[in-house]
């Protein structure tokens, strides 16, 4: 699954952003760089910039660590922030899957 975010001054593209190519359970190839492509202004394909985003730990380990830390140390406001972000992400994905941008403005909690 690819992710492309377009804005007024450029485009960010991430190839297979849901896969951990370097240390995933399905793939284990440390030679594949982790990062995204930055396309700003008028540029040819040769002028696109690849921005590496290396990590010492796999995305799976970081996700579990963040979740465990939230359970151990997170306060109610921090948990509400994560819950709200999770719900907004799901509403957004549902809107995309349904092909209806208006659905993105509604919240499942309200």
């Amino acid at each position: 699954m690819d992710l492309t975010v377009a804005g007024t001054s450029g485009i960010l593209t991430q190839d297979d952003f849901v896969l951990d190519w370097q240390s995933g359970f399905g793939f284990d190839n440390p030679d594949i760089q982790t990062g995204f492509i930055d396309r700003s202004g008028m540029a040819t394909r040769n002028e696109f910039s690849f921005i590496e985003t290396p990590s010492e730990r796999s995305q799976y380990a970081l996700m579990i660590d963040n979740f465990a830390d939230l359970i151990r140390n997170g306060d109610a406001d921090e948990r509400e922030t994560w819950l709200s972000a999770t719900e907004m992400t799901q509403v957004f994905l549902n809107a995309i899957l349904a092909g209806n941008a208006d659905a993105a403005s509604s919240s499942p909690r309200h």
Side-chain angles (χ1 to χ4, degrees):
M1 177 181 288
D2 295 347
L3 172 68
T4 300
V5 179
T8 58
S9 61
I11 298 172
L12 299 176
T13 304
Q14 226 177 349
D15 175 31
D16 288 324
F17 77 98
V18 296
L19 298 176
D20 187 347
W21 291 100
Q22 291 184 333
S23 57
F25 63 88
F27 305 97
D28 190 12
N29 188 342
D31 296 329
I32 296 177
Q33 296 175 319
T34 302
F36 61 92
I37 297 170
D38 177 23
R39 298 169 30 187
S40 299
M42 295 294 290
T44 66
R45 290 183 179 179
N46 293 334
E47 297 171 315
F48 297 169
S49 300
F50 182 78
I51 311 297
E52 283 191 66
T53 56
S55 176
E56 302 223 354
R57 305 198 57 209
S58 75
Q59 67 185 21
Y60 304 111
L62 292 171
M63 179 180 64
I64 297 299
D65 286 350
N66 287 341
F67 181 72
D69 186 56
L70 180 64
I71 299 302
R72 280 191 307 263
N73 305 317
D75 59 23
D77 289 338
E78 187 177 6
R79 286 191 189 106
E80 183 60 32
T81 298
W82 279 98
L83 177 61
S84 178
T86 301
E87 288 176 334
M88 287 188 293
T89 300
Q90 189 62 53
V91 168
F92 178 72
L93 293 173
N94 289 347
I96 290 172
L97 292 173
N100 182 357
D102 293 338
S105 65
S106 67
S107 172
R109 294 177 61 192
H110 299 158

